[in-house]
Amino acid sequence: CDDGRLEVETVAAIARNVERRLQRAGAQVDLLDEYDQRISGFVADALVSIHADSCIERSGFKSARWADSDMPAVEDRLVRCLSDGYAAATGLPFDADTITDDMTRYHAFRKLALDTPAAIVETGFLGGDWGLI
């Protein structure tokens, strides 16, 4: 953003917070970088890729799965769970109008083990949702 805010720093802080909370709840968590070498063939109960949207003055979040999913019902359930929980926790509206091919064809999804369900979450806009993010 013009004021120096960076998606990478924002998302890293969110991911570390999510990691701590999941570990306290008893989950095993592997925190991966976007281009982490471990992503190739990665096996997990689920993979969630966390992002933040642009610096525009818009509000809302979104989540999606791989467009060519081998397990659409499972991944749709993951997306619904993430969306419902995030909406309830933040009060942000779901912004389906801004789901892009970059989300539904996210490069990491094609590298995972075929039986690892995955979803991508855009936590909100760095512009309009900054106070909450």
Side-chain angles (χ1 to χ4, degrees):
C1 299
D2 291 341
D3 64 2
R5 282 178 278 166
L6 297 173
E7 177 187 9
V8 67
E9 291 173 359
T10 302
V11 170
I14 292 168
R16 286 189 301 271
N17 187 27
V18 169
E19 176 187 36
R20 281 190 302 273
R21 292 180 73 163
L22 288 171
Q23 286 174 336
R24 279 196 305 263
Q28 177 185 338
V29 179
D30 294 307
L31 192 59
L32 306 174
D33 293 326
E34 181 173 6
Y35 294 99
D36 200 300
Q37 295 299 313
R38 296 175 291 169
I39 200 78
S40 182
F42 189 73
V43 176
D45 292 333
L47 179 127
V48 177
S49 186
I50 303 171
H51 299 261
D53 219 320
S54 67
C55 298
I56 64 173
E57 288 300 318
R58 184 175 178 133
S59 182
F61 78 96
K62 54 196 170 258
S63 57
R65 64 161 169 84
W66 175 248
D68 299 323
S69 173
D70 288 330
M71 55 182 132
V74 171
E75 290 183 327
D76 285 345
R77 183 173 171 223
L78 174 60
V79 168
R80 271 192 313 278
C81 180
L82 291 166
S83 297
D84 291 349
Y86 196 75
T90 64
L92 288 176
F94 187 82
D95 189 2
D97 293 338
T98 58
I99 293 175
T100 65
D101 285 345
D102 287 338
M103 292 179 71
T104 61
R105 302 225 175 261
Y106 185 58
H107 69 92
F109 291 164
R110 72 186 87 161
K111 298 173 186 170
L112 301 171
L114 291 177
D115 59 347
T116 298
I120 186 169
V121 175
E122 294 270 0
T123 59
F125 288 84
L126 290 172
D129 298 317
W130 179 247
L132 179 66
I133 295 175

